[in-house]
Amino acid sequence: MMKASRRSFLVSAFSGGVAASLPLISRGAARKPVSASAIGPEELDARYAKLDDVLKQPVFKRELFTDPVIIEKLELLRYKDSFLCRVRSKDGAEGISISNSNQMSVLYPIFVKRMQPFFIGKDARDIEALVEEVTVFQSNYKAQGLAIWVPLATIEFAILDMFGKMSGKSIGQLIGEIHNTHISVYQANGERDITAEETIEHLKRDVAISKAKAIKFKLGGRMSHPEYPVGRSEKLIPLVRKTFGDEMVISADANGSYTPAEAIPIGKLMQEYKYAFYEEPVPFDWYEETKQVADALRIPIAGGEQEPSTHNFRWLVANGALSIVQQDMFYFGGMVRCMRVARMANAMGKQCIPHISSTGLGYLYMMHFVSAIPNSGPYHEFKEFNNDLPYTCATSTLRSDDNGVLKIPTGPGVGVEIDPAYIAKHEVVKA
């Protein structure tokens, strides 16, 4: 039996009454809500009404900008595998964003043909309405998912960068109040199809670099595929705890590997070894099954990185299927949409630990987003920045310190300067 420790106490407390008295931001995992199966029709209606009120609240601080900001030019730029978005107003204000290159290499025709034309001539201050209206433009909603959300996020980030440079404010200050100035990281291992022992060695190597006080690794075979080696997850769950000790905060991601009947025993094993959260135990669009697993376990269930719909998040939050929402800045269409999900989660006492895309500067956008939410989880995924992108940051090293903590940039807009000579190598992508 493991010795009692602060970590053991905290994680155990999340499933009991002690959690109610702990500050949300300090917990190693979100407090597990009352079982969704216990929610009556009247209570559920009340929850939906509360969430609907949250969704009506504005996100972007339009009041900071008294005069129209008309978009004169919106360009997608490409150099080799790099995609940038540049927006310019009629008054000469300019913003730039770095896209998710893996996705944009396939989706750039949608950006150029289906998204870009809509924004020309629009008042950028109406960004919240524009985010909704562009989905109807040319019936873009029929391509809902990565096809429209990645291009839209790329555009929105550039617009917010422009507003930040105009006002001298960070992106976080444009979409909320600053709640977090630093981020504690968790070290993620994304490998499967290697032995439990190899996974341990790779985690040890990466933790030594990031100094992270929390880790996460992969379970199962991904989206219901067979696991290899067989039995790896059952062996790895106790081995990670034994290796890293009681004080390490540990979570695991199944990426939809299991049916509920398979997921629940894995979750109970994670509970036994005091894990912080269990990510995507069943395929992400199995909503009722996600709720079924959540009802059967004490460990908080996390999910949402592939979710394309605000309305689906509304169901997942109201019905207690998720304790932690993990919307992705790119995959969900930008800061405005992601903020609405975070606010719904906050209204129900749930945490937000956004998923991040691994290319471009996805981690940087996530940092700005986390700065502006009160229900941020205590640790956020660490993925190295793009070392091929020449940029400087005057307000942060953008690297984790000896305590596994990063400082969020405080400069205008996105807070980094990209080498102009590098930008000049890019060419405008044509339809």
Side-chain angles (χ1 to χ4, degrees):
M1 180 177 294
M2 293 184 298
K3 64 180 180 180
S5 68
R6 174 179 176 275
R7 172 56 43 212
S8 299
F9 168 76
L10 284 178
V11 178
S12 297
F14 302 142
S15 60
V18 175
S21 64
L22 293 175
L24 181 64
I25 198 68
S26 70
R27 301 175 200 161
R31 178 167 62 89
K32 183 69 183 289
V34 175
S35 171
S37 61
I39 302 172
E42 292 185 1
E43 170 62 19
L44 189 58
D45 286 344
R47 291 186 179 195
Y48 281 135
K50 187 173 185 178
L51 297 182
D52 290 340
D53 286 341
V54 167
L55 291 172
K56 293 175 184 176
Q57 302 305 311
V59 174
F60 175 66
K61 295 183 179 178
R62 193 181 192 278
E63 66 274 10
L64 295 174
F65 306 93
T66 56
D67 298 321
V69 182
I70 305 302
I71 298 173
E72 182 177 57
K73 185 176 290 187
L74 179 67
E75 300 170 311
L76 182 65
L77 311 175
R78 182 175 190 173
Y79 170 63
K80 296 182 178 178
D81 294 330
S82 170
F83 287 88
L84 308 177
C85 174
R86 183 168 58 199
V87 62
R88 185 175 296 139
S89 75
K90 285 188 175 181
D91 293 328
E94 187 173 293
I96 197 161
S97 69
I98 304 91
S99 188
N100 180 314
S101 60
N102 286 348
Q103 301 298 335
M104 194 58 77
S105 64
V106 177
L107 300 176
Y108 68 86
I110 292 178
F111 182 108
V112 175
K113 295 180 180 181
R114 305 287 290 275
M115 310 294 282
Q116 177 182 346
F118 171 82
F119 286 90
I120 303 301
K122 299 294 196 303
D123 187 344
R125 297 178 304 164
D126 298 329
I127 183 64
E128 290 199 60
L130 298 178
V131 163
E132 301 298 327
E133 292 168 10
V134 74
T135 64
V136 180
F137 179 70
Q138 296 190 20
S139 298
N140 282 327
Y141 64 88
K142 294 185 178 182
Q144 182 174 191
L146 297 186
I148 62 170
W149 297 140
V150 171
L152 177 59
T154 302
I155 293 168
E156 188 213 66
F157 295 159
I159 291 173
L160 290 175
D161 184 56
M162 176 179 70
F163 278 125
K165 291 172 180 174
M166 291 171 62
S167 62
K169 297 183 180 298
S170 70
I171 288 180
Q173 291 174 304
L174 297 175
I175 60 172
E177 304 303 322
I178 299 301
H179 296 274
N180 305 294
T181 59
H182 294 73
I183 284 181
S184 295
V185 303
Y186 69 75
Q187 182 64 57
N189 177 277
E191 297 170 300
R192 286 188 171 90
D193 299 333
I194 61 173
T195 66
E197 290 80 8
E198 287 176 299
T199 304
I200 291 292
E201 291 306 309
H202 294 175
L203 278 169
K204 289 165 64 176
R205 174 199 63 198
D206 294 339
V207 167
I209 296 171
S210 67
K211 312 298 184 184
K213 309 302 181 187
I215 54 180
K216 188 181 80 174
F217 60 91
K218 299 294 188 180
L219 297 173
R222 191 177 182 89
M223 290 301 288
S224 300
H225 282 71
E227 180 178 47
Y228 179 83
V230 175
R232 172 179 175 271
S233 296
E234 289 87 345
K235 184 176 184 179
L236 192 54
I237 290 169
L239 187 58
V240 174
R241 176 59 74 198
K242 179 180 178 181
T243 302
F244 290 95
D246 293 346
E247 294 303 315
M248 180 65 80
V249 177
I250 306 175
S251 302
D253 179 8
N255 286 118
S257 292
Y258 306 119
T259 65
E262 296 165 336
I264 291 169
I266 292 290
K268 289 182 177 179
L269 186 62
M270 294 168 71
Q271 289 173 175
E272 179 183 348
Y273 287 94
K274 306 298 188 292
Y275 276 49
F277 66 78
Y278 186 5
E279 185 172 340
E280 282 192 351
V282 298
F284 70 91
D285 56 351
W286 290 19
Y287 303 117
E288 292 86 355
E289 290 86 350
T290 300
K291 175 179 177 294
Q292 180 182 344
V293 174
D295 287 348
L297 298 173
R298 299 189 311 275
I299 186 171
I301 303 300
E305 71 176 80
Q306 279 91 218
E307 180 53 57
S309 167
T310 302
H311 197 73
N312 287 348
F313 265 120
R314 175 179 175 269
W315 188 94
L316 290 162
V317 170
N319 285 276
L322 295 179
S323 293
I324 301 169
V325 295
Q326 295 181 304
Q327 67 277 39
D328 184 289
M329 299 292 101
F330 274 108
Y331 300 166
F332 198 65
M335 304 276 183
V336 168
R337 284 171 50 81
C338 284
M339 182 60 78
R340 291 170 181 162
V341 174
R343 288 179 174 180
M344 284 195 293
N346 191 49
M348 293 291 112
K350 303 172 187 292
Q351 286 184 347
C352 179
I353 304 178
H355 181 263
I356 59 170
S357 306
S358 58
T359 63
L361 288 181
Y363 193 87
L364 185 60
Y365 295 123
M366 184 274 285
M367 291 171 71
H368 283 295
F369 179 79
V370 167
S371 76
I373 59 174
N375 56 327
S376 160
Y379 298 95
H380 293 273
E381 186 170 3
F382 180 70
K383 291 180 178 175
E384 284 289 348
F385 286 91
N386 185 339
N387 295 320
D388 296 327
L389 186 68
Y391 61 89
T392 58
C393 181
T395 60
S396 173
T397 64
L398 299 180
R399 293 293 184 269
S400 57
D401 63 18
D402 288 343
N403 293 311
V405 176
L406 286 84
K407 184 179 185 295
I408 300 172
T410 56
V414 76
V416 302
E417 293 294 331
I418 304 173
D419 184 354
Y422 178 75
I423 296 176
K425 294 180 180 180
H426 291 66
E427 297 182 352
V428 177
V429 178
K430 302 292 185 181

